[in-house]
Amino acid sequence: MFNLRDDETGREILRDKPRINQESIKFNELKKLPPNSLGYKYYEFMSSHEFTPDERPLVKYIPDFEIAYIYQRYKEIHDFLHTILFTNVALRSEVLIKWFEMVQLGLPSAILSSFGGLTLLGREDTSNFLSDLTRTIGNAHRCPFVMNIYLSLIHISEPTRQAEISYAVFCL
């Protein structure tokens, strides 16, 4: 949480308080972007699951405005994490995303979800899970702090250097 304050872009994000919603990222325009851009892949992920960026409810019950914004941003970047980590919305994938969030952010909700989610996985969900979890934790350690990435339409429309978007591209 405090990494936002320790980084120039993070401080800019805290100052500007950009939101990730249909209007701010021009969601319906993302389908016109190059197929190898983060924006297009995000649109593809969201559309394939019939999600919209506006589905994340506003954070409530946190009296500190800055902390409330940080939690809101945390919720709003969640689907970008699905996109860059190539995960779907199955429980197994959600648990992996929560582990990434736990390592990167250390937020209590991510910590509880990481460990709690493990108890819900069935036998079929756990095959190769340890290797996927190890890779996810490694990625979380190698990647710059995701909350400090200014996800504007400009940034998400740039084509990647690879044929397909990848975690490594997001972390450049």
Side-chain angles (χ1 to χ4, degrees):
M1 196 158 59
F2 299 104
N3 286 341
L4 279 162
R5 295 182 195 126
D6 297 336
D7 179 83
E8 184 178 337
T9 303
R11 288 189 298 275
E12 183 181 349
I13 289 168
L14 287 174
R15 184 192 68 234
D16 297 348
K17 294 185 179 31
R19 298 288 312 281
I20 298 172
N21 56 40
Q22 289 195 58
E23 183 179 325
S24 69
I25 62 170
K26 299 178 179 32
F27 183 71
N28 290 325
E29 297 297 309
L30 298 180
K31 64 184 166 191
K32 299 175 185 173
L33 296 175
N36 60 337
S37 66
L38 175 60
Y40 181 86
K41 294 295 185 183
Y42 173 72
Y43 177 83
E44 189 176 59
F45 169 81
M46 297 293 279
S47 297
S48 71
H49 297 291
E50 298 180 2
F51 296 158
T52 70
D54 293 341
E55 290 176 10
R56 301 281 177 200
L58 290 174
V59 169
K60 299 178 185 178
Y61 312 116
I62 298 178
D64 183 284
F65 185 68
E66 186 173 272
I67 294 174
Y69 172 75
I70 290 168
Y71 266 88
Q72 187 66 41
R73 182 165 177 79
Y74 159 64
K75 291 167 58 172
E76 291 176 357
I77 67 167
H78 178 85
D79 292 319
F80 274 100
L81 294 179
H82 277 283
T83 304
I84 63 168
L85 295 173
F86 297 107
T87 60
N88 57 35
V89 295
L91 177 62
R92 183 178 195 278
S93 294
E94 291 295 340
V95 172
L96 290 170
I97 294 287
K98 289 301 172 191
W99 274 85
F100 181 94
E101 293 171 345
M102 178 187 72
V103 171
Q104 277 258 315
L105 311 175
L107 296 173
S109 55
I111 294 167
L112 289 171
S113 298
S114 297
F115 287 100
L118 289 176
T119 66
L120 300 174
L121 292 176
R123 180 168 273 147
E124 64 280 353
D125 290 327
T126 57
S127 66
N128 299 324
F129 184 78
L130 187 56
S131 65
D132 289 346
L133 180 59
T134 302
R135 185 174 53 252
T136 298
I137 291 171
N139 285 341
H141 283 294
R142 281 188 296 278
C143 182
F145 188 58
V146 295
M147 295 279 277
N148 286 344
I149 298 171
Y150 212 115
L151 293 166
S152 68
L153 182 59
I154 293 167
H155 293 104
I156 63 176
S157 65
E158 295 172 355
T160 65
R161 291 186 213 158
Q162 298 177 354
E164 292 185 33
I165 188 157
S166 72
Y167 183 86
V169 170
F170 181 76
C171 294
L172 288 177

